[in-house]
Amino acid sequence: MPPVFPMLTVLSMFYYMCLRRRARTATRGEMNSRRAIESNTRALPINVEIVQYAKEVLDFSSHYGSENSMSYTMWNLAGIPNVYPSSGDFTQTAVFRTYGTWWDRCPSARLPFKRTPSTFCSQDYVELAFEEPVYPTAVHILETYHPGAVVRILACSANPYSQNPPAEVRWEILWSEAPTKVNGPQARQFTPCIKQINFPTNLIRLEVNSSLLDYYTELDAVVLHGVKERPVLSLKTSMIDMNDIDEDEDEEKFACGMDTLNKQFSIVTLREWPTNGYFDKLPYELIQLILSHLTVPDLCRLAQTCKLLYQHCCDPLQYIHLSLQPYWARINDTSLEYLQSRCTLIQWLNLSWTGNRGAISVSGFSRFLKVCGSELVRLELSCGHFLNETCLEVITEMCPNLQELNLSSCDKIPPQAFNHIAKVGSLKRLILYRTKVEQTALLSILNFCSELQHLSLGSCVMIEDYDLIASMMGAKCKKLRSLDLWRCKNITESGIAELASGCQLLEELDLGWCPTLQSSTGCFTNLARKLPNLQKLFLTANRSVCDTDIEELAANCTHLRQLDILGTRMVSPASLRKLLESCKDLSLLDVSFCSQIDNRVVLELNANFPNVFIKKSFTQ
């Protein structure tokens, strides 16, 4: 009987053979131009390492700042550091729109898609272009406040400055990890150990998850280290890191699954087996239930095992809810074409982040919806930069039952295209955050979509008269439960009065950074009296909020759960105590930069109301 070698020994031998083969095939000049720096490490070329800061911010999913400003925007990631190594809340940094789990615990929260892989936890992203394409050796992320949000770093094969776009765009994961809790909000330089890739890149993508953070994460700059010549593995490697093996295996399984989706989903012939084992004894419905727990790549692989499981894996009932966002880097027209026959009954579809840089064409998207759109109820398309007027027209024609449409950060859609949305009278949720929707189109939407319950107009800078918009909401959208007017620049007390009188079912209202609202006009007290169901109210950066407003909220909005009054100078500790005593369900209170609320007051309130997260930000 032959001896049984431990798995590690077998892997070590295989690894050594690969290195020997590579060494034999390399030219003498190539071998002489490289050296191993240490045992168990990758070798670097002798040529000088290039260090560069981001030249340009190409794309991002959200930011805290305004579209017409640099404060708290993703554009601050371009260039050298503005703040680092200082810690604190600084306007010169890049800040995403959300943090923590508060946004998942409010009336506008959306139900998650099932079958999302446990390895995909990204909530936001930003893409950065650098001057020189290099083989990355290190990525430094300068975090200046509440670090720990970055969960994935990717590199792209496409050169954003090249005149000739590549036939195929590849994304490789340099580093990935689940969200972790970082003790303390202090600044740090985050330098994870990245994977070596086989192509040069000058396009880096950061993906973040802020769910474990106590406040907004702030990023100052990103530094890319790399070399012009491709590094090789050290020939002195004497030990294999088992963690590296596991990561490579997971990545290989992911790639295999998605390649199967693109190339091998439609299988014509499968090997005939005399029986299907115990699966022949199980009811069809039970097998369907078992398979409903698999991710899309797993379904693709399982479909290749036998005809019985192929039939189950291709059953349209397996694709009632389908999220392709976790696989955004590999989804293209071919993927949608293969999925068409399986998605004829689809009701929820998530194509967020997909299709950019030519991966999905207008014709490919249109063909898919013409076959699969009739039963669609929910359609997520955030950051879909391939979308144009034709796409919106197809959506409104092919999806007659649509109730939820997310076009967040689809900033390439032309203004006139939004007129088509008015044809979908069944809409209950519409997200237009950071889009170019104009006033005429929005008025038409509000007039014909009277079933709207959730509406997001945050950072929609092309709307000229928000008072007119608010008046139309009050007249037509009686069922409105949540409204996001984040950074609306021109709404006044008149529009607020119309809104509060007509939309009395409102449970969530975001008026953060709306500079034209003044407490002296009575607009906030009017809100408190007219909207007793309010659970979330953001009055961020409105310096005029005063004790009278807080006391009216305490008296009338006893169901309040989240309140943001960051930046006010006129709220005293006494009025906050009244609010906390009255609103028993309050869980979030942001009093950052409130001049009358110092750290001593916050400590006292925390001691007396331990169930409330009271946030007090600072700047050093």
Side-chain angles (χ1 to χ4, degrees):
M1 180 177 178
V4 179
F5 293 98
M7 181 59 69
L8 181 58
T9 303
V10 175
L11 290 173
S12 300
M13 292 175 62
F14 177 72
Y15 195 36
Y16 176 73
M17 290 169 63
C18 291
L19 293 177
R20 287 289 302 272
R21 182 178 180 183
R22 184 171 186 174
R24 287 196 300 268
T25 56
T27 63
R28 182 178 300 273
E30 181 182 7
M31 295 301 297
N32 291 337
S33 67
R34 298 174 171 88
R35 67 175 64 163
I37 55 174
E38 282 183 359
S39 178
N40 302 330
T41 60
R42 303 179 190 273
L44 294 178
I46 293 178
N47 58 322
V48 177
E49 186 177 56
I50 298 174
V51 179
Q52 50 187 332
Y53 291 94
K55 177 181 179 180
E56 184 181 358
V57 176
L58 297 180
D59 189 23
F60 54 90
S61 55
S62 77
H63 59 184
Y64 186 90
S66 166
E67 302 304 296
N68 301 320
S69 169
M70 288 296 291
S71 298
Y72 296 123
T73 63
M74 287 299 119
W75 299 305
N76 285 319
L77 278 176
I80 62 175
N82 299 308
V83 173
Y84 186 84
S86 298
S87 297
D89 191 338
F90 291 92
T91 62
Q92 303 96 321
T93 58
V95 185
F96 291 98
R97 175 77 193 273
T98 63
Y99 74 94
T101 59
W102 309 110
W103 277 257
D104 296 325
R105 291 189 270 163
C106 57
S108 64
R110 288 164 286 169
L111 293 174
F113 277 77
K114 297 178 181 178
R115 282 183 161 162
T116 301
S118 58
T119 54
F120 181 80
C121 55
S122 304
Q123 298 173 332
D124 276 295
Y125 73 85
V126 57
E127 292 180 1
L128 306 169
F130 295 79
E131 183 71 35
E132 293 289 335
V134 294
Y135 291 93
T137 57
V139 176
H140 301 314
I141 303 170
L142 306 184
E143 304 171 281
T144 55
Y145 199 37
H146 288 278
V150 178
V151 294
R152 201 153 71 150
I153 305 173
L154 302 98
C156 185
S157 62
N159 184 342
Y161 302 120
S162 174
Q163 299 299 320
N164 301 314
E168 179 186 8
V169 176
R170 292 175 53 199
W171 285 92
E172 289 288 341
I173 299 174
L174 299 180
W175 171 86
S176 180
E177 192 173 281
T180 54
K181 181 77 172 180
V182 176
N183 294 325
Q186 288 76 23
R188 72 170 186 177
Q189 175 180 292
F190 180 52
T191 308
C193 182
I194 63 172
K195 185 184 80 170
Q196 181 176 310
I197 58 176
N198 60 6
F199 58 82
T201 183
N202 62 339
L203 175 51
I204 296 294
R205 174 176 170 127
L206 308 182
E207 293 185 357
V208 304
N209 181 311
S210 303
S211 62
L212 298 183
L213 300 187
D214 292 333
Y215 205 57
Y216 300 95
T217 190
E218 299 191 8
L219 310 179
D220 193 12
V222 176
V223 192
L224 175 62
H225 291 238
V227 291
K228 298 292 288 184
E229 186 180 359
R230 181 180 175 184
V232 295
L233 293 173
S234 169
L235 300 184
K236 297 181 181 179
T237 301
S238 60
M239 184 177 70
I240 296 176
D241 188 339
M242 295 305 294
N243 292 326
D244 288 344
I245 293 174
D246 292 339
E247 290 172 4
D248 292 343
E249 182 179 309
D250 290 342
E251 191 170 313
E252 183 178 340
K253 285 169 63 179
F254 171 80
C256 174
M258 294 316 298
D259 287 342
T260 300
L261 175 64
N262 291 337
K263 299 176 183 178
Q264 301 173 11
F265 213 143
S266 54
I267 302 170
V268 178
T269 59
L270 287 166
R271 181 174 177 182
E272 291 285 355
W273 295 94
T275 69
N276 294 305
Y278 288 108
F279 281 101
D280 280 333
K281 302 179 183 299
L282 296 179
Y284 191 93
E285 294 79 4
L286 182 55
I287 299 177
Q288 285 285 293
L289 178 61
I290 294 172
L291 299 191
S292 69
H293 295 278
L294 297 181
T295 63
V296 176
D298 289 337
L299 278 178
C300 299
R301 286 189 288 267
L302 187 62
Q304 301 175 73
T305 57
C306 67
K307 284 188 174 181
L308 176 66
L309 292 179
Y310 174 78
Q311 179 184 359
H312 279 281
C313 291
C314 296
D315 192 320
L317 292 175
Q318 288 291 338
Y319 302 87
I320 298 296
H321 294 179
L322 177 63
S323 176
L324 297 177
Q325 182 180 6
Y327 321 108
W328 61 266
R330 298 176 183 268
I331 298 300
N332 54 32
D333 282 348
T334 306
S335 310
L336 296 183
E337 183 180 350
Y338 283 136
L339 284 167
Q340 277 185 21
S341 62
R342 298 157 179 82
C343 294
T344 54
L345 300 178
I346 191 169
Q347 297 177 8
W348 288 14
L349 176 62
N350 186 359
L351 286 174
S352 295
W353 301 6
T354 66
N356 299 333
R357 294 184 174 83
I360 295 179
S361 65
V362 172
S363 58
F365 176 76
S366 301
R367 284 194 304 270
F368 182 81
L369 277 196
K370 287 175 182 177
V371 175
C372 308
S374 61
E375 301 296 325
L376 266 182
V377 175
R378 176 179 175 184
L379 183 56
E380 304 279 342
L381 294 169
S382 68
C383 305
H385 301 313
F386 67 91
L387 295 171
N388 62 8
E389 183 171 4
T390 300
C391 294
L392 289 196
E393 187 174 7
V394 170
I395 291 171
T396 58
E397 290 178 357
M398 297 295 121
C399 308
N401 299 307
L402 197 61
Q403 296 181 11
E404 300 187 22
L405 179 60
N406 180 4
L407 298 174
S408 171
S409 292
C410 293
D411 53 1
K412 302 295 190 296
I413 301 176
Q416 71 276 5
F418 294 93
N419 283 294
H420 294 286
I421 298 176
K423 303 172 188 175
V424 190
S426 56
L427 273 183
K428 294 183 178 180
R429 184 189 302 271
L430 179 60
I431 302 177
L432 299 176
Y433 168 73
R434 288 191 66 239
T435 62
K436 296 177 180 176
V437 62
E438 288 183 333
Q439 184 166 302
T440 304
L442 185 55
L443 288 172
S444 179
I445 293 170
L446 297 174
N447 186 44
F448 290 102
C449 301
S450 58
E451 298 296 315
L452 276 174
Q453 297 180 17
H454 305 281
L455 179 62
S456 173
L457 300 174
S459 294
C460 292
V461 298
M462 299 188 71
I463 298 173
E464 300 169 353
D465 187 352
Y466 268 98
D467 281 347
L468 183 58
I469 298 298
S471 177
M472 180 64 81
M473 290 181 199
K476 296 289 185 177
C477 302
K478 302 293 185 179
K479 299 179 181 180
L480 206 59
R481 292 180 53 214
S482 72
L483 177 61
D484 180 6
L485 295 178
W486 176 262
R487 293 192 178 274
C488 155
K489 293 297 183 184
N490 53 42
I491 194 168
T492 68
E493 67 276 5
S494 174
I496 292 296
E498 295 278 357
L499 181 68
S501 297
C503 303
Q504 297 191 2
L505 297 180
L506 271 174
E507 299 173 353
E508 176 179 343
L509 182 59
D510 193 332
L511 296 172
W513 296 88
C514 295
T516 50
L517 293 176
Q518 294 296 315
S519 174
S520 58
T521 64
C523 59
F524 300 136
T525 57
N526 188 31
L527 277 178
R529 293 169 183 170
K530 294 287 184 64
L531 303 177
N533 298 315
L534 272 181
Q535 296 180 29
K536 173 182 174 180
L537 178 62
F538 275 28
L539 303 175
T540 316
N542 193 305
R543 301 184 186 280
S544 69
V545 176
C546 63
D547 282 346
T548 302
D549 303 319
I550 301 301
E551 291 168 3
E552 287 289 345
L553 288 172
N556 298 286
C557 302
T558 55
H559 301 296
L560 199 63
R561 295 175 182 269
Q562 300 179 29
L563 178 64
D564 186 342
I565 53 172
L566 175 148
T568 181
R569 301 169 177 172
M570 305 176 68
V571 171
S572 67
S575 65
L576 287 184
R577 291 190 191 95
K578 290 181 181 179
L579 179 77
L580 292 166
E581 290 169 356
S582 177
C583 300
K584 304 296 185 183
D585 297 326
L586 196 67
S587 57
L588 171 64
L589 177 61
D590 194 336
V591 292
S592 300
F593 303 109
C594 294
S595 55
Q596 295 191 45
I597 312 299
D598 56 24
N599 288 333
R600 180 186 58 81
V601 173
V602 172
L603 290 174
E604 177 196 335
L605 294 176
N606 274 326
N608 294 326
F609 304 95
N611 294 328
V612 184
F613 178 76
I614 303 175
K615 180 59 188 174
K616 177 72 174 177
S617 185
F618 73 97
T619 300
Q620 289 185 348

